[in-house]
Amino acid sequence: MHLAYLRDYHEALVIELARTAPTIERGTVAEATGLTPQAVSKVLARLVEDGVIATAGVRRPALGKPAAVYRLVPESRWAVGAHVSRRTLRLVLVDLAGQVRASAVSPLPADFTPAQLLGELTAGVAALAGDHAPIGVGIGMIGPLDQARGTVRGAHRLRHWDDVPLAALATEALGLPVVLDKDVTAGVTAEAWRRGASFGDAALVMVESGLGAGLWLGGAVHRGAHTNAGEFGHSVVQLDGPPCVCGRRGCLEAVHDRAGDPAVAAAVLGTGVVNLLQTLDLGHVVLAGADLLRHGEIYRAAVAEAVRTQVPRADWLTVEVSLTGLGTDAIAAGAAMQVLNARYGLPAR
């Protein structure tokens, strides 16, 4: 195994511990990671030199030698996250702990072009970052898209977005590394950061001028064979239903959008969520999106009721249904966290 991989991996293990605990020390890191105390000392020294962690005093046990204590330095690294919807561009500034420190939202022109988005993005990132130097920018974008290539493959309801290499264009415009992902995938990443190891098999369901689901399976994001998983809104629930923007009829998104009344729309979504649960056996469903959150409690109650009444053996196949704790920042925050993961998270194995 390559030495650089091992160094990155070991550093990521320590950063992950420091991000989830108020303080860490050599012995507890060695116990949690399986590294030798000598290896932990070297990793801690490198991270202190990089300014990512800092000493935070000494713990003096009743027996044994005093132990140096360390803490994460959240303000040592910054990332910007962007959420591109059909109406707005939302930006957030996130620190190394994954906390949103600032946010801004600006309207986008109707049926905006790539050039118009890049102009808004460039100005917005400069204004939001200010004196902070972000290590990169994450973009949560409407699908379908090819995440591996950084290309938008015909975003639904946007005429000018057929095979647009957005990641490359944004990298050139911003002069920063750019990570592009589907909006819902970025959103579920944010929830996983906040919720920890118990968030093993879950979905973030978003309603915001469209309907999709970000999937977190087996403790990791699931993008699928073509990195386009999450087109949940384009599963058919009514064979003779209304036409959908994707070209089919009776898609969940089309039936939901035709419902009109929030309570009826929420009930439609609840049925779709039960279909998803029957397919994937999830433990958590998080509801998000500006359109949904305007009627958040109506949606949460309707989805929870659908789970309780439509899932066979709901007493055993229990599912936690909740609203995102990040509000309308969820997608942008998750996109920023993906940037931090790319440098300070566990490398792909």
Side-chain angles (χ1 to χ4, degrees), residues 74-158:
E75 62 276 12
S76 64
R77 301 292 187 274
W78 303 91
V80 172
H83 174 195
V84 182
S85 77
R86 294 183 180 89
R87 302 184 297 252
T88 60
L89 172 64
R90 182 174 296 273
L91 298 173
V92 299
L93 181 68
V94 170
D95 65 23
L96 186 56
Q99 296 298 311
V100 175
R101 297 293 195 95
S103 64
V105 62
S106 58
L108 289 171
D111 202 20
F112 59 89
T113 65
Q116 288 172 319
L117 174 62
L118 290 169
E120 290 286 345
L121 183 65
T122 302
V125 169
L128 188 68
D131 294 334
H132 304 298
I135 64 170
V137 175
I139 301 175
M141 178 68 187
I142 304 158
L145 60 79
D146 183 340
Q147 191 270 343
R149 296 179 181 273
T151 299
V152 182
R153 298 287 193 191
H156 292 310
R157 305 188 202 178
L158 292 176

Side-chain angles (χ1 to χ4, degrees), residues 229-294:
E231 294 293 312
F232 168 59
H234 299 291
S235 53
V236 173
V237 293
Q238 183 181 344
L239 292 178
D240 60 348
C244 182
V245 294
C246 73
R248 304 173 80 194
R249 299 189 69 92
C251 287
L252 178 64
E253 179 177 304
V255 176
H256 170 274
D257 291 353
R258 288 284 186 94
D261 180 74
V264 177
V268 171
L269 182 65
T271 296
V273 167
V274 170
N275 291 343
L276 190 64
L277 297 177
Q278 293 285 72
T279 304
L280 295 177
D281 186 17
L282 305 173
H284 303 265
V285 173
V286 182
L287 305 177
D291 294 341
L292 184 152
L293 292 174
R294 277 195 283 272

